[in-house]
Amino acid sequence: MKKTMTLIYEGIKEVQIIQWFVEPEARVEQFDKLCEVQSDKAAAEEQITSRFDGVIKKLHYEAEDMAQVGKPLCDIDVMSEISPEDEATVLGPVPEQAGSPSTPMQPQKAVKKLSQKRGADEKTQDTSLPPSANKHSSLATPVVRGLLKELNVNIEDVRGTGKDGRVLKEDVHRFAAARSDTTSPSPTHQIAANSKTKSTSFQTEHTIPLTAIQSQMFKTMTRSLQIPHFVYADEIDITALSSLRRRLNNASPHSHHQGQSQKLTYLPFILKAVSLALYDFPLLNARVDTASPDKPQLIMRASHNIGIAMDTPQGLLVPNIKSVNNLSIAEIAAEISRLQSLALSARLPAQDLTGGTITVSNIGSIGGTYVSPVIVSNEVAILGIGKARAVPRFDDGGEVVRKEVVNFSWSADHRVVDGATMARCAERVRGWLEGVEGLLVQLR
């Protein structure tokens, strides 16, 4: 008698056949693996098992095919390869031999009886297999089976509350919650838990103290949260600056400072442009004094002590270059090199870490285009520099040309700095860098 295996899933229209474990004319028993499938609603594969004892007659799909839910998956002949003794058990005695009319046994019941008979005969050979607690466990959806794997739950241990006793997601969660409340897990669960190499159900945590630099950063940034930030971003054309920098680095008289070779980067030019702009916008070099909360005031500062955010093995450090307004670009470059060397060796003195008036963060040296920099509590402005990159642009004649650009992102203390002031200062810095000849003229 031929039986047809059909796919049964909740809320799924089709699954993909990953692989077959059987082929035509192969003998299978109930709960033997037939194939492995994958649906688009479950990350893990699921194995389909046989609901009958019999012989595989036809596979309706090939591996990698999409199988339609509710359609035949394979045909199983439940009467093939049955011995005469088993056939007598399946069909029952013939009426003439029995002595009285009798109703033939139903095929499904006969197969079940046959399976029980074989199970009894083989009991002495294999006693390690536990009996199935739920005959419909093989009908669980891929989502449920994925959850079972995630929570390390054996489906046969779960009491299903769905149609025909099927296991639902709620049943799995209920079982897992009850198991977690049990103080002494069974040996079977303990072995499974020990053998599972990866679990997403439970998170392990441990406490480590903050480093000295992290503790200081925590305090500084916590104070900065009280500052309302006004953020302003713009794109700077550094094509002319890039050309000038290459010429200076290639000219030996300009590439040495105090007997040491010193390659110029963009940063010394940017710091000098910021310093020149602060002459016209001294508010951005000031600090807010809130010693009297009812009567805050501004402290104006003459020296341009520009801080440079540095990524060091110890964490974020912001040393500052004192009196940038009185230094040449070569001298600024030498100071940057000195501070970087001290920071990398964890030898920065306190005098280099205090007294800053405005900060520049060159995060673009690592990557990124835009940034939203956070103002230090004793300052009112900060500049974040993105990564320099080459882009196509139209020139005045409408021709496409190669340009080098970088994005500047400013943050200002909106309690005392209005948006127009910040924008005008940013435009002044952009003007100095794009018209680098004018920047050089202003040097003292």
Side-chain angles (χ1 to χ4, degrees):
M1 179 177 293
K2 186 178 73 172
K3 292 289 185 181
T4 300
M5 281 283 298
T6 58
L7 287 171
I8 302 176
Y9 286 93
E10 297 176 3
I12 297 177
K13 294 183 178 180
E14 61 182 10
V15 296
Q16 185 179 27
I17 305 294
I18 303 301
Q19 62 176 324
W20 283 100
F21 299 113
V22 295
E23 57 185 10
E25 303 305 323
R27 181 73 186 180
V28 295
E29 295 184 357
Q30 193 176 15
F31 302 119
D32 282 354
K33 294 186 294 184
L34 297 178
C35 65
E36 192 172 51
V37 301
Q38 168 77 65
S39 76
D40 59 354
K41 293 189 177 182
E45 288 103 6
E46 179 192 2
Q47 294 175 353
I48 303 298
T49 58
S50 175
R51 299 199 293 276
F52 312 108
D53 294 345
V55 177
I56 300 295
K57 288 301 181 181
K58 180 180 180 182
L59 304 180
H60 289 268
Y61 299 97
E62 299 290 338
E64 305 301 328
D65 286 351
M66 298 302 296
Q68 301 299 315
V69 173
K71 301 295 183 180
L73 178 66
C74 64
D75 295 339
I76 302 177
D77 189 347
V78 298
M79 296 297 295
S80 296
E81 296 185 5
I82 298 180
S83 65
E85 294 80 4
D86 291 340
E87 185 175 0
T89 304
V90 173
L91 297 179
V94 181
E96 293 80 1
Q97 295 175 343
S100 62
S102 61
T103 303
M105 189 179 296
Q106 294 295 327
Q108 183 119 358
K109 294 181 179 179
V111 172
K112 182 177 181 182
K113 182 175 180 181
L114 173 60
S115 178
Q116 292 173 347
K117 176 179 179 296
R118 287 180 176 166
D121 293 339
E122 299 171 357
K123 185 175 182 181
T124 58
Q125 300 177 9
D126 186 3
T127 59
S128 62
L129 295 176
S132 176
N134 184 354
K135 68 178 182 179
H136 295 282
S137 61
S138 62
L139 303 182
T141 64
V143 175
V144 173
R145 288 191 175 273
L147 183 62
L148 288 166
K149 291 183 181 179
E150 179 182 345
L151 299 181
N152 190 25
V153 174
N154 187 342
I155 191 171
E156 295 183 355
D157 296 335
V158 183
R159 181 179 178 273
T161 60
K163 184 179 179 181
D164 296 328
R166 295 175 188 169
V167 176
L168 307 177
K169 289 191 298 183
E170 294 76 9
D171 301 328
V172 180
H173 284 299
R174 190 181 304 110
F175 177 85
R179 182 183 63 180
S180 63
D181 294 336
T182 304
T183 56
S184 56
S186 65
T188 303
H189 290 163
Q190 189 65 43
I191 293 173
N194 292 339
S195 63
K196 193 171 181 66
T197 59
K198 182 179 179 181
S199 174
T200 58
S201 303
F202 304 98
Q203 177 65 274
T204 59
E205 298 179 351
H206 63 281
T207 303
I208 60 173
L210 296 179
T211 64
I213 292 179
Q214 287 175 325
S215 297
Q216 183 60 39
M217 184 168 61
F218 180 88
K219 296 175 183 178
T220 301
M221 293 296 101
T222 300
R223 290 192 297 267
S224 296
L225 290 176
Q226 303 175 5
I227 302 174
H229 285 51
F230 173 83
V231 180
Y232 179 88
D234 197 8
E235 183 179 87
I236 313 298
D237 183 351
I238 58 170
T239 305
L241 175 59
S242 177
S243 177
L244 173 64
R245 186 179 69 89
R246 284 193 296 269
R247 292 199 304 271
L248 293 175
N249 284 331
N250 292 332
S252 55
H254 297 282
S255 60
H256 289 75
H257 175 69
Q258 296 181 350
Q260 296 181 352
S261 178
Q262 182 64 57
K263 290 290 184 180
L264 292 173
T265 65
Y266 294 113
L267 189 56
F269 294 93
I270 294 173
L271 295 184
K272 193 61 183 180
V274 170
S275 176
L276 291 176
L278 290 178
Y279 281 118
D280 297 324
F281 302 93
L283 172 61
L284 298 179
N285 198 54
R287 68 178 178 88
V288 180
D289 181 7
T290 57
S292 177
D294 296 334
K295 195 176 181 180
Q297 53 187 353
L298 286 170
I299 306 298
M300 307 303 291
R301 298 179 286 198
S303 294
H304 302 163
N305 301 339
I306 302 180
I308 308 170
M310 291 186 177
D311 178 35
T312 73
Q314 297 78 36
L316 174 64
L317 293 176
V318 189
N320 61 82
I321 300 176
K322 300 293 192 295
S323 300
V324 173
N325 47 312
N326 295 327
L327 300 178
S328 67
I329 290 178
E331 290 170 334
I332 295 172
E335 273 294 285
I336 293 174
S337 179
R338 179 185 72 85
L339 293 174
Q340 286 176 333
S341 177
L342 292 175
L344 291 175
S345 59
R347 294 186 294 110
L348 276 173
Q351 64 184 20
D352 287 328
L353 292 168
T354 58
T357 60
I358 189 172
T359 299
V360 173
S361 173
N362 188 20
I363 194 66
S365 60
I366 299 175
T369 304
Y370 301 96
V371 63
S372 181
V374 180
I375 303 168
V376 181
S377 58
N378 63 339
E379 300 174 6
V380 298
I382 183 173
L383 167 62
I385 305 171
K387 182 179 180 180
R389 62 196 193 281
V391 296
R393 289 289 186 268
F394 290 104
D395 61 11
D396 294 338
E399 299 294 328
V400 176
V401 295
R402 182 183 184 275
K403 294 288 186 180
E404 295 182 59
V405 299
V406 65
N407 286 89
F408 280 12
S409 301
W410 297 82
S411 290
D413 187 341
H414 214 4
R415 296 175 300 177
V416 294
V417 180
D418 57 81
T421 299
M422 183 71 263
R424 291 188 182 100
C425 180
E427 282 295 300
R428 188 62 54 85
V429 172
R430 184 175 68 85
W432 290 130
L433 294 176
E434 291 185 351
V436 66
E437 298 84 358
L439 174 66
L440 298 178
V441 171
Q442 294 294 324
L443 296 181
R444 299 178 181 178

